[in-house]
Amino acid sequence: MSNKEIPYKIYLEENEMPKQWYNVRADMKKKPAPLLNPVTKQPITEDELSEVFCRELARQELDDTNAYIDIPQEIIDFYKMYRPAPLIRAYCLEKKLGTPAHIYYKFEGNNTSGSHKLNSAIAQAYYAKQEGLKGVTTETGAGQWGTALSMACSYFDLDCQVYMVKCSYEQKPFRREVMRTYGANVTPSPSMTTEVGRKINEEFPGTTGSLGCAISEAVEAATNQEGYRYVLGSVLSQVLLHQSIIGLETKAALDKYGVKADIIIGCAGGGSNLGGLISPFVGEMVRGEADYKIIAVEPKSCPSLTRGKYAYDYCDTGKVCPLQKMYTLGSGFMPASSHAGGLRYHGMSSVVSEIYDQGLMEARSVEQTEVFAAAQEFARIEGILPAPESSHAIKVAIDEALKCKETGEAKNIVFGLTGTGYFDMYAYQKFNDGIMGDYIPTDEEIEKALAKLPEM
Amino acid sequence: MSNKEIPYKIYLEENEMPKQWYNVRADMKKKPAPLLNPVTKQPITEDELSEVFCRELARQELDDTNAYIDIPQEIIDFYKMYRPAPLIRAYCLEKKLGTPAHIYYKFEGNNTSGSHKLNSAIAQAYYAKQEGLKGVTTETGAGQWGTALSMACSYFDLDCQVYMVKCSYEQKPFRREVMRTYGANVTPSPSMTTEVGRKINEEFPGTTGSLGCAISEAVEAATNQEGYRYVLGSVLSQVLLHQSIIGLETKAALDKYGVKADIIIGCAGGGSNLGGLISPFVGEMVRGEADYKIIAVEPKSCPSLTRGKYAYDYCDTGKVCPLQKMYTLGSGFMPASSHAGGLRYHGMSSVVSEIYDQGLMEARSVEQTEVFAAAQEFARIEGILPAPESSHAIKVAIDEALKCKETGEAKNIVFGLTGTGYFDMYAYQKFNDGIMGDYIPTDEEIEKALAKLPEM
């Protein structure tokens, strides 16, 4: 197979699409630490989790023993509407860079949510519907998750209430309209409609919000309404499970052409895309079958892996969610109002955190302006206008390809292009006008937020 | 092949992609009428056309004898970045409508220009580069053509100057930023930077512009700059030639699964998408090989086929372009400021016009609000947020599918989904808020504009 000419875009056939999700926790020798009840500080039970999440999703959240989980047929059918996502060989970028490296990217932007988020949204909406719920509440940062969930809920005729981080709500007025077109209600967060929102507004007047705040509000809204549950688009292990479809398809596409990845790169906010992309590859690593260089890329403005601490922390600013052991900047950390809203999260998936802690993955942080420069270069060469979040991975993929140019190595570089930037033109405008800044928190800021980690 | 299960999305393999464009004029027994020199009213020559267009494009414009024209390898390579476009079986829409019809749509929105326009943009930029030009000028309505041309020019390192219809420029500020990200200069039209723009502004104070105005300005700008030519995204026969890739791929995908289309539907503005989609099918009709029901869908606000006159007219408001025989509302017709900017053109491709005049095609006009209702329904069921222009075809496809429900016929309905609506959220917002209107010109308005057709 290895001499087969590789097309610009590798599409799997429908019958080659994965029928099971892959749960990397099952194969990890040292498992991610368990979620803890924030009051008792004991491992949380399925019953406790089910007060906030759907029962089946609570089960998936706690399952670290089953490696493969069947994807329900209804979800497979929905996946067929926009999947398989293409694995694209970046022939044009390679040529422009003059690198001997072979660059591949898994493009998850070919759906209206504009990102990979739909992979988990449709699963979560499906289980909510199965359980007979009326609706779900959630938070959204850049708006991709909110859009994805709106689409999924509209498909299953569920009510959808979205708390959108105020900073993104203001920068992306049209995101709200997409969600409304899909029938969702959208509220800027922190709002005055929840107790926790009012409290945060009081403590941080004029705050532009954060994912952590919005999560707290959405959880409160879910628990205060009969027939509602909360759903989350990242961080959780259940989300990584659903997102494993990205990595499974990527690996199947590479295998189809006999290509062995050398370097795998993903942007890291809460970890859903990164975790989904790398899961099957990490699985091979922990089973001793293969080795890969895996790189997580995060913004310098919110550097949880590179400057955070591996400790138990709250997942949300309001401290209503379970405690999770993760790389964190502290749940009180308020990231600067950058243009990669999807990466403005103080913590990180516990699975990704544990993978990082075990040395199975590296992490790098990059500045916003260099990310947009890479985004613009990529757009002009590869034709796709990338989301700012995704462009973090582009930046490092280009860096690695240029290293190959120096060394003359024809490495296979694979990165996740999580989505498109059509709703990020306000940010591109700032970049085009040369007035985009970089935001790097001081050591003092980070120490201050880390000082408030919960006592264990 | 006919019993092969049809996937949700049919992607051709790279080696199944067309290597030639199809020129339907070559097979038409009665050819479209020739373009005329606006001064002499004699058929325009290649030399005359080459003052405005690139030489090779002028040649293609006048070629009504060669049925197949090789696609240059550089263009094929660029096509591979975003093509083949999927032919999607609308299983979910069929189920929702409860129709026995099989609905297919050719989705051209999977590229950053958001539409099929890139198919011709890359061809025109390629020939401009081959000719050693510095840059090109153009107009854009909804912004899709301008974006496509910006992308193509950026790829070939050509300067790109875009006159954008003011109405769209104001409704879609972020469109401008996409074009700027690709390095283009964007000017709202009518502007004060050209003679014709100043004249139109004087004659119609406060006008929101039209494609006809913007064309005049772009042509003037091209002829006033050394090393520049004008390029156009629709109407012209060369554009239909390039867009035949849509129809060729559609037919190849249907053939692959043994499906014979019964009804083919496309939205009609200048005719580029419609003409490209239907060309190979019309070719079969005029060669007596097959029969199809073909339906052009236009907005009631700009009904050139259904209420216009088949006559020689100017292609632009400023009357600087060649005269073309076409269905027209008169080059002075100023369409209302609707939300389908790409369909606000007073005329129609001469090829499409002749096909219509020969009775090979039907035409229907639809109202804006019913189009957005269809768009919303489609978005919620099929997951893709369609452009307002494309949604005209959706509306009629749904109508035809519902007729099949009444009669019980399992017809194969194929429509062109030309693009996505990510930059049309202002319009969706109006629809979501219930404040969108319909605009239907009076007979007097149309008669007044038609009274000014050139004397022949």
Side-chain angles (χ1 to χ4, degrees):
Chain A
M1 290 287 261
S2 59
N3 287 326
K4 207 160 155 186
E5 196 185 336
I6 294 164
Y8 278 60
K9 286 173 288 159
I10 306 175
Y11 280 107
L12 299 176
E13 302 286 329
E14 259 182 26
N15 59 20
E16 296 171 318
M17 284 173 67
K19 290 178 183 54
Q20 297 180 309
W21 292 304
Y22 173 63
N23 183 9
V24 69
R25 289 170 292 171
D27 284 333
M28 290 172 76
K29 280 171 205 90
K30 182 166 174 257
K31 313 276 184 195
L35 292 176
L36 301 184
N37 181 311
V39 180
T40 65
K41 302 201 174 157
Q42 292 301 306
I44 206 156
T45 65
E46 189 183 307
D47 282 344
E48 287 170 334
L49 265 189
S50 298
E51 290 167 21
V52 177
F53 299 117
C54 304
R55 172 65 62 170
E56 183 57 33
L57 292 167
R59 197 170 291 140
Q60 291 179 357
E61 190 62 33
L62 300 179
D63 181 354
D64 60 8
T65 53
N66 292 298
Y68 289 94
I69 292 172
D70 288 341
I71 307 176
Q73 188 59 44
E74 288 89 335
I75 298 177
I76 288 182
D77 285 344
F78 189 91
Y79 278 170
K80 285 181 191 166
M81 285 213 300
Y82 71 100
R83 308 198 68 81
L87 182 71
I88 304 179
R89 173 76 184 271
Y91 281 114
C92 297
L93 180 62
E94 290 171 16
K95 193 173 156 193
K96 177 75 188 294
L97 298 175
T99 177
H102 293 191
I103 307 173
Y104 297 84
Y105 54 97
K106 180 69 169 171
F107 180 43
E108 291 284 331
N110 274 351
N111 73 75
T112 292
S113 79
S115 81
H116 65 293
K117 296 286 183 176
L118 196 51
N119 302 332
S120 185
I122 193 65
Q124 297 192 47
Y126 168 78
Y127 292 118
K129 188 69 181 181
Q130 285 294 103
E131 201 169 307
L133 296 182
K134 284 185 206 157
V136 292
T137 69
T138 199
E139 84 302 327
T140 196
Q144 293 175 323
W145 167 248
T147 309
L149 191 69
S150 305
M151 291 174 69
C153 286
S154 147
Y155 187 76
F156 285 125
D157 202 17
L158 280 167
D159 185 36
C160 181
Q161 301 174 358
V162 181
Y163 288 84
M164 184 171 187
V165 177
K166 197 177 276 176
C167 145
S168 294
Y169 185 90
E170 286 165 1
Q171 283 173 12
K172 305 182 181 187
F174 292 155
R175 267 284 178 205
R176 183 191 65 224
E177 291 308 321
V178 181
M179 293 187 249
R180 283 183 71 205
T181 298
Y182 283 95
N185 288 304
V186 189
T187 309
S189 167
S191 77
M192 298 304 276
T193 66
T194 64
E195 204 174 309
V196 65
R198 289 187 290 272
K199 203 174 139 202
I200 292 166
N201 270 317
E202 203 171 293
E203 196 175 344
F204 302 94
T207 176
T208 52
S210 72
L211 278 173
C213 299
I215 293 172
S216 302
E217 289 204 272
V219 171
E220 183 182 322
T223 48
N224 284 345
Q225 291 173 92
E226 185 71 29
Y228 280 74
R229 287 291 183 285
Y230 166 68
V231 297
L232 177 61
S234 191
V235 184
L236 297 172
S237 301
Q238 59 186 272
V239 177
L240 262 73
L241 175 70
H242 307 147
Q243 295 296 356
S244 68
I245 189 92
I246 303 173
L248 292 166
E249 280 188 7
T250 300
K251 200 165 148 27
L254 290 170
D255 287 350
K256 196 171 170 177
Y257 286 87
V259 177
K260 157 79 172 60
D262 295 303
I263 305 173
I264 302 165
I265 302 164
C267 64
S272 75
N273 145 69
L274 177 71
L277 173 66
I278 69 176
S279 276
F281 300 97
V282 171
E284 288 189 307
M285 289 170 83
V286 296
R287 294 191 307 265
E289 297 166 5
D291 203 20
Y292 301 98
K293 176 173 171 173
I294 296 177
I295 308 172
V297 190
E298 59 184 13
K300 276 203 193 295
S301 60
C302 195
S304 51
L305 288 170
T306 51
R307 296 176 68 191
K309 196 170 163 182
Y310 193 34
Y312 267 103
D313 195 6
Y314 297 98
C315 293
D316 62 319
T317 314
K319 304 181 182 177
V320 298
C321 287
L323 289 168
Q324 178 170 286
K325 190 174 179 195
M326 59 182 174
Y327 279 86
T328 179
L329 296 162
S331 65
F333 180 77
M334 279 285 176
S337 174
S338 85
H339 293 290
L343 306 183
R344 294 175 75 245
Y345 183 63
H346 69 276
M348 180 59 62
S349 144
S350 64
V351 180
V352 169
S353 293
E354 182 58 31
I355 289 170
Y356 181 53
D357 197 59
Q358 292 183 23
L360 298 165
M361 181 182 88
E362 303 173 18
R364 285 188 207 161
S365 65
V366 289
E367 288 182 8
Q368 176 165 256
T369 47
E370 59 183 357
V371 165
F372 272 82
Q376 189 186 63
E377 184 174 10
F378 182 83
R380 291 187 179 186
I381 296 167
E382 286 288 318
I384 295 172
L385 187 82
E389 292 81 359
S390 323
S391 305
H392 286 68
I394 296 174
K395 163 67 183 146
V396 170
I398 291 176
D399 288 348
E400 290 297 313
L402 291 175
K403 278 186 204 163
C404 287
K405 188 177 178 177
E406 280 176 29
T407 63
E409 290 171 289
K411 286 187 180 168
N412 290 316
I413 300 172
V414 177
F415 71 90
L417 188 72
T418 54
T420 50
Y422 303 132
F423 293 97
D424 300 288
M425 295 321 298
Y426 178 78
Y428 274 95
Q429 182 173 358
K430 287 209 159 180
F431 181 74
N432 291 337
D433 291 339
I435 54 172
M436 175 175 279
D438 289 313
Y439 312 94
I440 303 176
T442 62
D443 288 341
E444 290 68 31
E445 280 175 83
I446 292 179
E447 276 160 27
K448 193 177 154 199
L450 284 175
K452 292 184 185 162
L453 289 181
E455 283 176 35
M456 299 307 294
Chain B
M1 289 287 262
S2 60
N3 287 327
K4 206 161 157 185
E5 197 186 335
I6 294 166
Y8 278 60
K9 285 173 290 159
I10 307 175
Y11 279 107
L12 299 175
E13 302 287 328
E14 260 181 27
N15 58 20
E16 297 171 316
M17 284 174 67
K19 289 176 184 57
Q20 296 180 308
W21 291 304
Y22 173 64
N23 183 10
V24 69
R25 288 170 291 172
D27 284 332
M28 290 172 77
K29 278 169 206 89
K30 183 166 173 259
K31 313 277 184 194
L35 291 177
L36 302 183
N37 180 311
V39 180
T40 66
K41 303 203 173 154
Q42 293 300 306
I44 206 156
T45 65
E46 189 183 307
D47 282 344
E48 287 170 335
L49 264 188
S50 299
E51 289 168 21
V52 177
F53 299 117
C54 303
R55 173 67 60 172
E56 183 57 32
L57 292 166
R59 198 170 291 141
Q60 292 179 358
E61 189 62 32
L62 300 179
D63 182 354
D64 61 7
T65 54
N66 292 299
Y68 288 94
I69 292 172
D70 287 342
I71 307 175
Q73 189 59 44
E74 289 88 335
I75 298 176
I76 287 182
D77 285 344
F78 189 91
Y79 278 170
K80 285 182 192 167
M81 286 213 298
Y82 72 100
R83 306 199 69 80
L87 182 71
I88 305 180
R89 173 77 184 269
Y91 281 114
C92 297
L93 180 61
E94 290 170 16
K95 193 174 158 194
K96 177 75 189 295
L97 297 175
T99 177
H102 294 191
I103 307 174
Y104 297 84
Y105 54 97
K106 180 70 169 172
F107 180 43
E108 291 285 330
N110 274 351
N111 73 75
T112 293
S113 80
S115 81
H116 66 293
K117 295 285 184 178
L118 195 52
N119 302 332
S120 185
I122 193 64
Q124 297 193 47
Y126 168 78
Y127 292 118
K129 188 69 181 181
Q130 285 295 103
E131 201 169 306
L133 296 182
K134 284 186 207 159
V136 292
T137 69
T138 200
E139 84 301 327
T140 196
Q144 292 176 324
W145 167 247
T147 309
L149 191 69
S150 306
M151 291 174 70
C153 285
S154 146
Y155 187 76
F156 285 124
D157 202 18
L158 280 168
D159 185 36
C160 182
Q161 301 174 359
V162 181
Y163 289 84
M164 185 171 186
V165 177
K166 198 177 275 175
C167 145
S168 294
Y169 186 90
E170 287 166 0
Q171 283 172 11
K172 305 182 181 185
F174 292 156
R175 267 283 178 206
R176 183 190 64 224
E177 290 309 320
V178 181
M179 293 186 251
R180 283 183 71 205
T181 298
Y182 284 95
N185 288 305
V186 190
T187 309
S189 167
S191 77
M192 298 304 276
T193 66
T194 65
E195 203 174 309
V196 65
R198 288 188 290 272
K199 203 174 138 201
I200 292 165
N201 269 317
E202 204 171 293
E203 196 175 344
F204 302 94
T207 175
T208 52
S210 72
L211 278 173
C213 300
I215 293 172
S216 302
E217 289 205 271
V219 170
E220 184 182 321
T223 47
N224 284 345
Q225 293 174 90
E226 185 70 29
Y228 279 74
R229 286 292 183 283
Y230 166 68
V231 298
L232 177 62
S234 190
V235 182
L236 296 172
S237 301
Q238 59 186 267
V239 178
L240 262 73
L241 174 70
H242 307 148
Q243 296 296 356
S244 68
I245 189 91
I246 304 172
L248 291 166
E249 281 188 8
T250 300
K251 202 166 145 28
L254 290 169
D255 287 350
K256 196 171 171 177
Y257 286 87
V259 177
K260 157 79 172 61
D262 294 303
I263 305 173
I264 302 164
I265 303 164
C267 63
S272 75
N273 144 70
L274 177 70
L277 173 65
I278 68 176
S279 275
F281 299 97
V282 170
E284 288 189 305
M285 289 170 84
V286 295
R287 293 191 308 265
E289 297 166 5
D291 203 20
Y292 301 99
K293 176 173 172 173
I294 297 177
I295 309 172
V297 190
E298 58 184 13
K300 275 203 194 295
S301 60
C302 195
S304 52
L305 288 170
T306 51
R307 295 177 68 191
K309 196 171 163 182
Y310 192 35
Y312 267 103
D313 194 7
Y314 297 98
C315 292
D316 62 320
T317 313
K319 305 181 182 178
V320 298
C321 287
L323 289 168
Q324 177 169 287
K325 190 175 179 194
M326 59 182 175
Y327 279 86
T328 179
L329 296 162
S331 65
F333 180 77
M334 279 285 175
S337 174
S338 85
H339 293 290
L343 306 183
R344 294 175 74 244
Y345 183 62
H346 69 275
M348 180 59 62
S349 144
S350 63
V351 180
V352 170
S353 293
E354 182 58 30
I355 289 170
Y356 181 52
D357 197 59
Q358 291 182 22
L360 297 164
M361 182 182 89
E362 303 172 18
R364 284 187 207 161
S365 66
V366 289
E367 289 183 7
Q368 177 165 256
T369 46
E370 60 183 356
V371 164
F372 272 83
Q376 189 186 64
E377 184 174 11
F378 183 83
R380 291 186 180 186
I381 296 166
E382 286 288 318
I384 295 172
L385 188 82
E389 292 82 359
S390 324
S391 305
H392 286 68
I394 296 174
K395 163 66 182 147
V396 170
I398 292 176
D399 288 348
E400 290 296 314
L402 291 175
K403 278 186 204 162
C404 287
K405 187 177 180 178
E406 281 176 27
T407 63
E409 289 171 290
K411 287 187 180 167
N412 290 316
I413 300 172
V414 178
F415 71 91
L417 189 72
T418 54
T420 50
Y422 302 132
F423 292 98
D424 299 289
M425 295 320 299
Y426 177 79
Y428 274 96
Q429 181 172 358
K430 286 208 159 182
F431 181 74
N432 291 336
D433 290 339
I435 55 170
M436 175 175 281
D438 289 313
Y439 313 94
I440 303 176
T442 62
D443 288 341
E444 290 68 30
E445 279 176 83
I446 291 179
E447 276 160 28
K448 194 176 153 201
L450 284 176
K452 293 184 186 162
L453 289 181
E455 281 176 34
M456 299 306 296

